Amino acid sequence: MLTYQSVSELCQLAEQEGRTLSQVILSDQAEQLEQSEQALYDQMAARLQVMRESVQTGMDPQLRSASGLSGGDAAKMLRYAAGGGMTGAFVNGAIARALATSECNAAMGKIVAAPTAGSCGILPGTILSVLEAGQCSERQAVMALFTAGGIGMTIGSRATLAGAEGGCQAECGSAAAMAAAALAELRGGTPAQSAHACAMALKNQLGLVCDPVAGLVEVPCIKRNAAGVMIAFSSAEMALAGIESKIPVDECIEAMYRVGTALPSTLRETAQGGLAATPTGTRLKKELFGGRTHWRPAP
């Protein structure tokens, strides 16, 4: 059984057995959970469907969070994507899906925490975009989520996935790393290329702080999901081109954890620093909270 303490361990086993990371992870999880591979596949397929539904919900131009801080931006991005924009309909559509999932979450909709609610838009923004563009099959998309899950379990075991412990690099950074590894496999990459994609995605978000305005998972969290999608795609593309990370992926994970623990508490989900402490962030908090210690919607 796998320990999920090392991405290199996953890659080594996959290469030895001539299988993909997703096949190795699915087989191992079936053994550990004492379930059939088909049962676990069906569960993951159901999660992919939840992701689809979250995107659909979040695309509603009338959707707003209870705080009023978010909603409607995914619909704007989708309309913009239809015209191509500077980077094309595919890229802008991926951004729209990431925003939609995150706005669905902010409006208390059903999402898949992947790996957290604050980073829930990155995997749907990548995997669903590839699937809906006809670049992979439904089964390949579901299997890619097993690759992402295995990477996420390893980061969680070796470091952290919590913004309160490691900053947003542990949430959006980990999600982008998971997505990058999954994308590399989805497009025919080797386990080693998935590992390099994972490493490059993590490296590009080292030091990302968690500074939610008013303590709500909306500003700047939602737009960081869109950025995470772009980092995931660029990291996977570099790995598929044969570009390698000079720092091994497991060392990148360890570095992320060390950076996270070095961050002051004001930059780890406390809403006491960063954007949350700007004049506008402070004003928004006051408007929402009033004299209360926490926000609640008006009756």
Side-chain angles (χ1 to χ4, degrees), residues 4 14 22 30 35 37 51 54 61 63 67 77 107 127 141 162 167 184 217 231 233 241 243-244 263 266 284 288:
Y4 298 95
S22 59
Q35 296 187 44
E37 290 189 14
M51 290 181 178
S54 301
L63 182 71
S67 71
M77 197 67 211
I127 303 302
V217 187
I231 288 174
F233 274 122
I243 298 171
E244 298 182 351
L263 289 174
T266 55
L284 290 171
L288 290 170

Side-chain angles (χ1 to χ4, degrees), residues 272-294:
Q272 295 177 342
L275 296 177
T278 61
T280 298
T282 302
R283 174 179 58 79
L284 290 171
K285 178 181 178 181
K286 185 176 180 180
E287 290 174 357
L288 290 170
F289 284 21
R292 299 185 298 272
T293 58
H294 64 283

Side-chain angles (χ1 to χ4, degrees), residues 26 34 44 53 56 68 75 118-119 136 173 180 242 260 275:
L26 173 57
E34 298 181 346
M44 192 65 85
E53 293 167 359
Q56 182 177 7
S119 59
C136 72
L275 296 177

Side-chain angles (χ1 to χ4, degrees), residues 40-61:
L40 289 183
Y41 176 89
D42 291 343
Q43 291 174 30
M44 192 65 85
R47 293 186 178 95
L48 183 64
Q49 181 58 30
V50 172
M51 290 181 178
R52 278 198 188 96
E53 293 167 359
S54 301
V55 169
Q56 182 177 7
T57 298
M59 290 295 185
D60 182 354

Side-chain angles (χ1 to χ4, degrees), residues 21-41:
L21 285 172
S22 59
Q23 290 169 338
V24 167
I25 292 162
L26 173 57
S27 176
D28 175 75
Q29 286 298 290
E31 180 181 359
Q32 292 204 34
L33 298 174
E34 298 181 346
Q35 296 187 44
S36 69
E37 290 189 14
Q38 186 61 49
L40 289 183
Y41 176 89

Side-chain angles (χ1 to χ4, degrees), residues 5-6 10-11 24 37 56 59 61 83 89 127 150 185 189 236-237 240 243 249 264 288 290:
Q5 293 291 323
S6 165
L10 299 178
C11 292
V24 167
E37 290 189 14
Q56 182 177 7
M59 290 295 185
I127 303 302
E185 179 179 304
E237 295 278 38
L240 291 168
I243 298 171
V249 60
L288 290 170

Side-chain angles (χ1 to χ4, degrees), residues 2 6 15 29 89 160 183 238 269:
L2 295 170
S6 165
E15 289 168 352
Q29 286 298 290
T160 181
L183 287 169
M238 285 190 286
E269 209 173 323

Side-chain angles (χ1 to χ4, degrees), residues 70-287:
S70 64
D73 285 343
K76 293 177 184 176
M77 197 67 211
L78 185 64
R79 287 195 299 271
Y80 178 76
M86 289 185 291
T87 55
F90 178 84
V91 168
N92 288 313
I95 293 172
R97 291 182 183 91
L99 293 174
T101 306
S102 297
E103 289 184 336
C104 175
N105 173 64
M108 304 303 289
K110 185 177 182 181
I111 53 94
V112 177
T116 66
S119 59
C120 66
I122 295 174
L123 268 175
T126 52
I127 303 302
L128 285 177
S129 294
V130 173
L131 175 59
E132 293 183 16
Q135 296 182 20
C136 72
S137 67
E138 181 88 5
R139 180 171 182 82
Q140 288 174 318
V142 173
M143 291 300 290
L145 294 181
F146 281 101
T147 300
I151 296 296
M153 284 192 289
T154 304
I155 295 173
S157 296
R158 199 177 187 98
T160 181
L161 300 169
E165 188 175 8
C168 195
Q169 57 166 8
E171 295 203 21
C172 285
S174 295
M178 292 162 60
L183 287 169
E185 179 179 304
L186 198 56
R187 297 296 293 161
T190 65
Q193 287 175 319
S194 285
H196 286 301
C198 177
M200 287 186 279
L202 273 178
K203 289 194 297 186
N204 279 290
Q205 292 187 84
L206 281 184
L208 184 60
V209 302
C210 185
D211 52 351
V213 170
L216 303 174
V217 187
E218 299 184 60
V219 180
C221 319
I222 292 174
K223 295 177 180 69
R224 283 181 180 162
N225 276 256
V229 163
M230 295 300 96
I231 288 174
F233 274 122
S234 62
S235 298
E237 295 278 38
M238 285 190 286
L240 291 168
I243 298 171
E244 298 182 351
S245 172
K246 298 301 183 184
I247 308 299
V249 60
D250 291 323
E251 293 181 28
C252 291
I253 294 172
E254 291 169 356
M256 184 268 282
Y257 182 69
R258 289 195 299 271
V259 169
T261 57
L263 289 174
S265 62
T266 55
L267 300 177
R268 286 187 280 161
E269 209 173 323
T270 59
Q272 295 177 342
L275 296 177
T278 61
T280 298
T282 302
R283 174 179 58 79
L284 290 171
K285 178 181 178 181
K286 185 176 180 180
E287 290 174 357

